[in-house]
Amino acid sequence: MNDPRIRIDDDIDAQIVRAVSLDARATLAEISQSVGLGTSAVQARLRRLEQRGVIAGYRALVDAEAVGKPLSAFVEITPLDPAQPDNAPELLEHLVEIEACHSVAGAAAYMLFVRVATPRALERLIRDIRQAASVNTRTTVVLQTFFENRPVALD
């Protein structure tokens, strides 16, 4: 394992990553029990996984409807002028309704995932996206989400 791109050393690390991805609030004792190592060994491995960037952070999963953002959509963007600089992510970063921005292969340059309160708010956001980045948009409204934020599958 001399490849610097390999960040998980063994099956124990993979089990720890899986346990944390299933429940980021799990205690060291709970993780230790599930992987069969002592608490201090798990703590050291967790620290190493964090330092390597395998575990990039911890965050709460918030119910979007409960905080007034029940409408989600995917917005594809393509530049109005293909010769313009490819800086859409920087130009759109200030729009907090955009939860994710992905560079994609295909007709669109980027795929945005957005959450807003109302259809009117979505309309305003699309206008703001078009103006800020000089892009065309194609929007698909999400009717229902069956699952998201799943743990990364580890082999």
Side-chain angles (χ1 to χ4, degrees):
M1 294 209 180
N2 293 332
D3 189 341
R5 293 173 296 177
I6 296 174
R7 296 178 169 188
I8 294 179
D9 288 335
D10 55 28
D11 289 339
I12 300 292
D13 278 357
Q15 290 175 37
I16 291 170
V17 169
R18 176 126 178 98
V20 172
S21 69
L22 289 171
D23 181 4
R25 295 183 65 180
T27 66
L28 288 173
E30 291 167 339
I31 298 169
S32 297
Q33 185 176 10
S34 72
V35 301
L37 283 181
T39 308
S40 60
V42 168
Q43 185 176 31
R45 283 175 176 258
L46 266 173
R47 193 172 301 122
R48 190 174 67 241
L49 289 164
E50 290 167 353
Q51 290 169 345
R52 290 180 177 173
V54 174
I55 297 173
Y58 302 87
R59 67 180 257 203
L61 297 178
V62 177
D63 182 323
E65 285 191 42
V67 296
K69 303 281 182 150
L71 179 59
S72 54
F74 293 96
V75 181
E76 296 178 10
I77 63 172
T78 53
L80 290 174
D81 176 8
Q84 75 186 45
D86 187 10
N87 61 348
E90 293 85 9
L91 297 172
L92 299 173
E93 193 171 17
H94 70 282
L95 298 172
V96 297
E97 299 88 352
I98 301 173
E99 287 192 12
C101 175
H102 305 277
S103 176
V104 295
Y110 295 94
M111 177 75 70
L112 311 176
F113 180 71
V114 304
R115 287 191 202 269
V116 293
T118 64
R120 179 149 299 171
L122 179 59
E123 185 177 29
R124 278 192 304 270
L125 177 61
I126 291 167
R127 184 192 65 233
D128 292 346
I129 290 168
R130 289 175 179 162
Q131 288 176 349
S134 298
V135 293
N136 284 318
T137 61
R138 181 170 173 240
T139 304
T140 302
V141 173
V142 175
L143 299 177
Q144 184 175 352
T145 299
F146 294 99
F147 51 83
E148 67 180 346
N149 299 313
R150 296 172 83 178
V152 174
L154 301 173
D155 297 330

